[in-house]
Amino acid sequence: MADGSPGRAFSSPIMSSNTVSAVLEKQIRRLCLNDFPCGRGSWRRTKNGPCGAGTEPADALLDLLNCPRSPWRNDGQSWSPQASGLRELAVREPRRHLHTDFIYNYFTTLRIPGRNVSTIDEGLSKFSKLEELVLSVNSISEISSANLPKTLKSLELRSNRLSSLSGLTSCPPPQLQYLGLGSNSLGSHKDFSHLTGRHWPKLVCLDLSDCEFQDQRALVTALKSLPCLKTLMLKGNPFTLAPAYPGFTVDSLPQLVCLDFSWISSEERYRFGGLAGMSDLIEDVASVTVSLSRLRGIPDPLMAVDKKAPDFPVVTHRYFISYQFLSHQTSDNRGGDGEAEPDAASRAAEEDSICSDLQSNTEHQGEASVLQTAGPAVNAHENISATVRLSQYRTSKLTWSDCMDLSHSLTHTVGPLGDLKRFLSQGLCLSLEEEKILSWPAASEEVPLVKPSPTTKGKKGQKDEQVKSASAKDKPKDKKTKGAPQLVQDPPIRTVLASAHIPMHSLVHGSQRVAVVCDFGPLPTDSEVEAAHTQKDSERKMKEDKKKEDKGPKQKETSSAAQKSSTASKGTAGKGKDGADHTDPSVPDQQEPATVELRVELEKWRTPSEARRLTVAPITPKQGTHEEI
């Protein structure tokens, strides 16, 4: 190191490649401060020396450093703005000895993001004039503040693996003005004691976004002691989902001018005035209102009914939307139709009902798989804690129309907020379901009514005629006393027509509401479903016939005949008796997609009076609009 060679200075002892020093020394070596066109060498043209073909003036060497197409250009701005200046200095003043201490003291800004750095070693303290250090998106789990330069004014540690601040505050940089700790596993009560003015007397800007802080009161109490705090980032923490945020934070920190990248206006501070004295109303719960309104795009089930079909059974179609939501606490209805689970008993009954419906519909699984054109139902909540209970909710069931107004609005009061954050981060799944009910005339005492079984499906028309004739013989002659026959309903058959996943991460990152039109995609008609089943049956028969080809010549001939007949039937599909294609090209193939309007909104207190009204006054649902399961 006595000869001032930076190349030799940074070829020292081998250290772990995951330390900050190892990464920085590798970057400094890439500057090539002693190689062409930097440093002193035979390529330099001196005043008294000969001007040979292999020598260049200083201006030409600088052009080689800065020219965009030059192979010697080194874009050092990405990790430090001083990198390019250091190379230019090696060209302009080659006689200056760029020794190790000079290089360390030259840098004031270092940015090392995404380099898998896991340790801040003592080598970083050699940069004695460092003011800005960025170590985002690395693998740092612990920090020893003794290894940080005392001159630091800005420290960025976002998206690391920090779970504690004890090591950072043992001997913190006294001049630090900006501290970025976002997207780390911070949020314990011990962390509150490390965010006080005793540790950070000059801190102006603090980033704690996307952490796991749930106690808003404890955090705000600690932040009050920061005398110079002006800018604060808190979005993405669980407590930001509570109704008291941001009003309680703004009113508790009067010196704050910017919160979550938004300037605090005088009007907001006036409206929130008084919320700081209502800390007793703050709880670890949030109120989320889910609203579903207009449902469109479902094909008319009557269009697929055969006019020659018998009068019975009478088929009734009803449609509704179902979804899952957290059920830690009772859900309150605010004037909307719907079905919810207000207590554990009703939740258990609902789950039993859903299980029984699934068991009764096992024979329709093939049909359901065909109908899910918008993609299969996504289990978006697999990563939620096992202690979190999800309940099934559904809207009121409506008969078909072009536009069905569901008028569903439920306010879910849930907690803890950490579970709600994870739930919303994974999104909300909606399922469009159809309920089909078959109704039959009630059997009279004289003539018992026998419903057709699946084994006697071919004799259905004959039995219907028998029932009609029997009822015609026994009916009274007086037409005035004739009334509509009493109908008996079969158990409902429920089918999931389509499912969709709606992202909700914007609610976690500061938005108060999500209003979207959920697209389930086009739904196939009953004829398309039947055609799909027919095609599957034919393909299955063809596979069976192909397997029988190897068993004997007779079976082979039969199989070939079956294949020919199948091919002939496929070839004549869509053609008339004359073999011509009568498909109308003007008829559109695409169907209108099924959609439903969804709105999810977080409750937020805007004034102290609103906070008292929403927390003290009980919520009374409108009469006749709430149907409990």
Side-chain angles (χ1 to χ4, degrees):
M1 197 159 50
D3 61 354
S5 172
R8 292 191 178 92
F10 288 96
S11 62
S12 61
I14 299 176
M15 60 182 67
S16 174
S17 60
N18 294 332
T19 63
V20 177
S21 297
V23 176
L24 291 175
E25 291 186 7
K26 185 177 181 180
Q27 295 293 338
I28 293 175
R29 289 195 201 98
R30 289 181 177 178
L31 297 179
C32 301
L33 299 178
N34 280 332
D35 298 331
F36 181 85
C38 302
R40 293 179 297 175
S42 58
W43 55 85
R44 299 192 63 86
R45 181 179 299 178
T46 60
K47 292 183 179 180
N48 300 326
C51 298
T55 60
E56 297 288 345
D59 293 339
L61 295 176
L62 289 175
D63 290 340
L64 293 177
L65 291 179
N66 301 320
C67 182
R69 297 185 179 181
S70 173
W72 293 279
R73 177 182 174 87
N74 189 321
D75 189 10
Q77 295 288 344
S78 60
W79 66 278
S80 177
Q82 287 82 43
S84 58
L86 189 62
R87 298 191 77 200
E88 292 181 5
L89 185 63
V91 173
R92 295 182 183 276
E93 302 181 23
R95 295 183 179 180
R96 174 178 290 187
H97 294 292
L98 299 181
H99 53 82
T100 306
D101 292 339
F102 177 83
I103 294 174
Y104 282 141
N105 295 332
Y106 190 82
F107 289 97
T108 59
T109 300
L110 294 174
R111 303 188 184 102
I112 313 295
R115 297 298 182 88
N116 199 27
V117 175
S118 60
T119 305
I120 300 179
D121 60 327
E122 59 183 2
L124 182 64
S125 60
K126 298 177 182 179
F127 293 84
S128 57
K129 294 185 179 180
L130 189 64
E131 296 182 355
E132 180 183 357
L133 177 62
V134 178
L135 293 173
S136 300
V137 198
N138 283 291
S139 305
I140 302 172
S141 58
E142 294 183 2
I143 296 179
S144 177
S145 58
N147 297 331
L148 296 175
K150 302 303 179 183
T151 55
L152 268 184
K153 295 182 179 180
S154 176
L155 178 60
E156 177 69 68
L157 296 169
R158 186 175 180 83
S159 298
N160 277 275
R161 299 178 181 177
L162 295 175
S163 58
S164 175
L165 296 176
S166 57
L168 182 61
T169 56
S170 60
C171 187
Q175 305 296 325
L176 199 69
Q177 299 178 8
Y178 169 75
L179 179 59
L181 299 172
S183 297
N184 283 284
S185 300
L186 302 173
S188 66
H189 287 276
K190 293 182 180 179
D191 294 330
F192 298 143
S193 61
H194 301 295
L195 295 172
T196 62
R198 182 170 62 89
H199 302 99
W200 317 103
K202 295 186 178 181
L203 195 65
V204 177
C205 181
L206 177 61
D207 183 6
L208 295 175
S209 58
D210 298 303
C211 291
E212 299 299 327
F213 290 98
Q214 299 191 47
D215 194 339
Q216 185 177 189
R217 286 175 295 183
L219 179 61
V220 169
T221 301
L223 298 181
K224 283 181 180 180
S225 62
L226 296 174
C228 301
L229 185 64
K230 301 294 182 183
T231 303
L232 182 62
M233 278 78 76
L234 295 175
K235 68 176 184 177
N237 283 279
F239 72 80
T240 60
L241 301 172
Y245 187 84
F248 178 79
T249 299
V250 171
D251 193 39
S252 301
L253 302 174
Q255 78 277 15
L256 211 61
V257 296
C258 182
L259 178 63
D260 294 336
F261 303 101
S262 298
W263 298 105
I264 302 174
S265 63
S266 56
E267 179 184 356
E268 288 178 320
R269 195 171 292 280
Y270 175 78
R271 283 194 294 106
F272 294 146
L275 286 175
M278 303 175 63
S279 60
D280 56 323
L281 299 180
I282 299 178
E283 297 181 3
D284 188 19
V285 294
S287 296
V288 188
T289 302
V290 180
S291 302
L292 291 159
S293 53
R294 287 183 283 270
L295 176 61
R296 308 171 185 265
I298 299 179
D300 187 358
L302 297 180
M303 298 297 293
V305 175
D306 189 1
K307 296 181 179 179
K308 298 181 180 180
D311 296 337
F312 297 103
V314 178
V315 183
T316 304
H317 298 266
R318 297 194 299 176
Y319 302 91
F320 61 95
I321 300 294
S322 64
Y323 63 94
Q324 284 186 331
F325 211 86
L326 293 179
S327 58
H328 283 243
Q329 297 184 13
T330 303
S331 296
D332 297 320
N333 191 340
R334 294 191 177 183
D337 293 343
E339 300 177 357
E341 297 161 281
D343 51 29
S346 61
R347 286 198 299 266
E350 168 63 7
E351 291 175 357
D352 294 340
S353 174
I354 294 174
C355 293
S356 62
D357 292 337
L358 294 176
Q359 292 175 0
S360 62
N361 292 335
T362 50
E363 61 184 26
H364 302 280
Q365 288 179 355
E367 181 179 355
S369 63
V370 175
L371 291 173
Q372 290 177 1
T373 56
V378 181
N379 189 3
H381 310 299
E382 292 180 350
N383 297 328
I384 297 181
S385 173
T387 59
V388 178
R389 188 184 181 98
L390 296 177
S391 295
Q392 191 80 12
Y393 298 89
R394 57 171 171 254
T395 65
S396 56
K397 303 168 187 175
L398 303 178
T399 56
W400 182 89
S401 65
D402 289 333
C403 179
M404 292 171 274
D405 191 0
L406 300 173
S407 300
H408 173 88
S409 182
L410 283 178
T411 298
H412 306 268
T413 304
V414 297
L417 297 176
D419 295 335
L420 179 60
K421 174 187 173 181
R422 288 185 286 273
F423 177 85
L424 295 177
S425 298
Q426 296 177 5
L428 185 65
C429 290
L430 299 182
S431 296
L432 172 58
E433 299 189 38
E434 178 190 57
E435 184 179 78
K436 184 186 297 184
I437 300 177
L438 306 180
S439 300
W440 305 82
S444 61
E445 296 180 358
E446 295 83 359
V447 182
L449 178 63
V450 181
K451 298 180 183 179
S453 61
T455 58
T456 60
K457 185 177 181 182
K459 302 179 180 180
K460 180 179 178 182
Q462 182 179 356
K463 288 191 175 184
D464 289 337
E465 292 178 1
Q466 294 176 359
V467 172
K468 290 180 181 179
S469 61
S471 59
K473 293 179 181 179
D474 298 335
K475 65 182 180 179
K477 295 181 179 180
D478 189 2
K479 295 183 180 180
K480 294 182 180 180
T481 60
K482 180 181 179 181
Q486 295 182 356
L487 299 180
V488 177
Q489 295 182 348
D490 285 351
I493 302 173
R494 293 179 185 170
T495 304
V496 178
L497 301 180
S499 299
H501 178 262
I502 310 300
M504 293 285 158
H505 58 268
S506 60
L507 294 177
V508 179
H509 292 86
S511 178
Q512 187 175 348
R513 65 185 60 86
V514 171
V516 296
V517 177
C518 177
D519 189 350
F520 293 103
L523 303 180
T525 60
D526 293 341
S527 58
E528 293 175 347
V529 175
E530 185 178 355
H533 283 296
T534 304
Q535 183 178 0
K536 286 185 177 181
D537 293 339
S538 61
E539 291 177 356
R540 185 180 68 255
K541 291 180 180 179
M542 291 177 63
K543 290 180 180 179
E544 292 177 355
D545 294 339
K546 192 173 182 181
K547 291 180 180 179
K548 295 178 181 180
E549 287 181 358
D550 301 332
K551 294 183 179 180
K554 294 183 179 180
Q555 294 181 355
K556 185 174 182 180
E557 293 176 1
T558 306
S559 176
S560 60
Q563 291 180 3
K564 289 180 181 179
S565 62
S566 176
T567 306
S569 62
K570 288 183 180 179
T572 57
K575 297 184 180 181
K577 294 181 179 180
D578 56 353
D581 190 356
H582 294 282
T583 305
D584 188 1
S586 63
V587 178
D589 295 331
Q590 294 184 353
Q591 184 184 345
E592 179 186 359
T595 60
V596 66
E597 297 180 10
L598 170 68
R599 182 184 179 92
V600 181
E601 186 171 4
L602 287 170
E603 180 183 286
K604 295 292 182 180
W605 297 343
R606 291 172 295 182
T607 60
S609 59
E610 184 177 11
R612 293 189 186 94
R613 176 173 55 85
L614 294 177
T615 54
V616 178
I619 301 173
T620 56
K622 292 182 180 180
Q623 297 296 329
T625 59
H626 178 60
E627 179 184 357
E628 297 180 358
I629 298 178

